[in-house]
Amino acid sequence: MADVFINYRTGDGEETAVAIERELTRRFGKGRIFRSGTSIRPGALWDDALLTGVRTSSVLVALIGARWADSPRLLDRDDWVRREILEAFRCAIPVVPVLVGRETKRLRPTALPSALRKLARCQSVRYDSQTAETDLPHLGDVLRERVPALADAEARLRAQQQPQPDATQYSMGAVSGGTAVQARDITGDIGGTVIREAHGTLHTGSGDQHHHAPHLSGDNSSYVAGNQSGGGNRQSFDAPRRRRDDAR
């Protein structure tokens, strides 16, 4: 059962209906938004599905374009845009008009068939594709306030998206001049060394660990790089400088 029923006219408002459905579904979850193009299953009786969708929803969103009220189809008792709105009124379901575009003005009762004049009294919100990044969240906020079930659904989705409290996650910035290896998350108690998907030579035993580096330990340690007879480089630590061999 969907919480929000999107009322729109085919050929005049479909793109807006798709954008609203996508955003509300992302925010509140699948199955909570009814749009005829995606919510009626193949083989279902579409007229029954539409009326049932309205009756079981918590709010109806009516998409109103700049020339919406000028359509002669609103005078037709069999027009489905008209029937869905009137069914919502009959079932005491709130109707939220969404004024699509910057130029769309609020509805005037005198411009509507008598059966639909109540729609002009419903407080509206605006949606414009140029300001969708603010208009869509605002519409979602309005619907969440009208329908408590949407607030609960949004809270559950946020909880599911939070990282698990016992998981360790790592992030890494830019690395240059070498290779960076990142292991997967590690959860639970860790009593020893754990390596997952590491590549290359790695010492994991107890004691000092040395990987592609000289080993310097103890007092008066010396490090000699290269061939000693050919010169090389010598470094000494914590010891007086030794004289050259020929000066001893």
Side-chain angles (χ1 to χ4, degrees):
M1 181 179 66
D3 296 297
V4 179
F5 187 100
I6 301 179
N7 169 271
Y8 67 100
R9 190 175 297 286
T10 302
D12 181 24
E14 285 178 293
E15 292 183 2
T16 300
V18 170
I20 290 176
E21 178 194 21
R22 183 182 297 118
E23 170 62 18
L24 297 182
T25 298
R26 181 200 65 79
R27 182 168 176 176
F28 301 116
K30 294 182 178 180
R32 296 193 169 273
I33 313 302
F34 186 102
R35 183 174 71 85
S36 60
T38 57
S39 300
I40 300 179
R41 297 180 179 180
L45 301 178
W46 61 268
D47 49 351
D48 289 345
L50 288 173
L51 292 176
T52 300
V54 173
R55 293 165 183 162
T56 57
S57 64
S58 299
V59 61
L60 182 142
V61 172
L63 304 187
I64 310 296
R67 305 184 66 83
W68 184 88
D70 297 334
S71 175
R73 297 172 65 180
L74 292 177
L75 299 172
D76 185 355
R77 292 177 178 270
D78 294 328
D79 177 51
W80 275 99
V81 169
R82 170 185 168 129
R83 289 186 64 179
E84 291 166 5
I85 295 173
L86 293 181
E87 187 67 18
F89 286 152
R90 190 184 70 82
C91 297
I93 294 171
V95 176
V96 177
V98 175
L99 308 181
V100 181
R102 299 179 184 179
E103 305 300 325
T104 302
K105 298 180 181 180
R106 294 189 61 177
L107 295 172
R108 294 180 296 106
T110 56
L112 299 175
S114 58
L116 290 173
R117 288 178 181 174
K118 182 179 178 180
L119 183 63
R121 295 163 46 202
C122 298
Q123 182 63 31
S124 61
V125 297
R126 187 172 299 277
Y127 168 81
D128 183 65
S129 59
Q130 300 299 316
T131 55
E133 66 278 2
T134 56
D135 292 348
L136 286 175
H138 175 62
L139 175 60
D141 292 343
V142 170
L143 297 176
R144 182 185 59 186
E145 292 176 2
R146 295 300 306 258
V147 185
L150 293 179
D152 295 339
E154 183 179 29
R156 286 194 298 270
L157 280 180
R158 287 183 176 179
Q160 294 172 3
Q161 294 168 358
Q162 292 295 324
Q164 297 298 321
D166 60 345
T168 302
Q169 297 185 344
Y170 300 92
S171 60
M172 186 176 298
V175 178
S176 61
T179 302
V181 178
Q182 180 177 356
R184 288 186 175 179
D185 296 346
I186 301 174
T187 61
D189 296 333
I190 302 176
T193 302
V194 179
I195 300 176
R196 299 186 64 178
E197 299 186 5
H199 304 280
T201 304
L202 183 64
H203 169 58
T204 62
S206 60
D208 298 336
Q209 299 188 22
H210 314 283
H211 183 58
H212 298 304
H215 180 190
L216 306 176
S217 63
D219 297 335
N220 303 326
S221 299
S222 298
Y223 166 56
V224 179
N227 189 336
Q228 296 185 35
S229 61
N233 298 318
R234 180 187 301 271
Q235 296 181 1
S236 300
F237 304 89
D238 298 330
R241 179 177 296 179
R242 296 178 61 181
R243 295 177 297 173
R244 294 179 178 274
D245 292 343
D246 57 357
R248 285 187 295 179

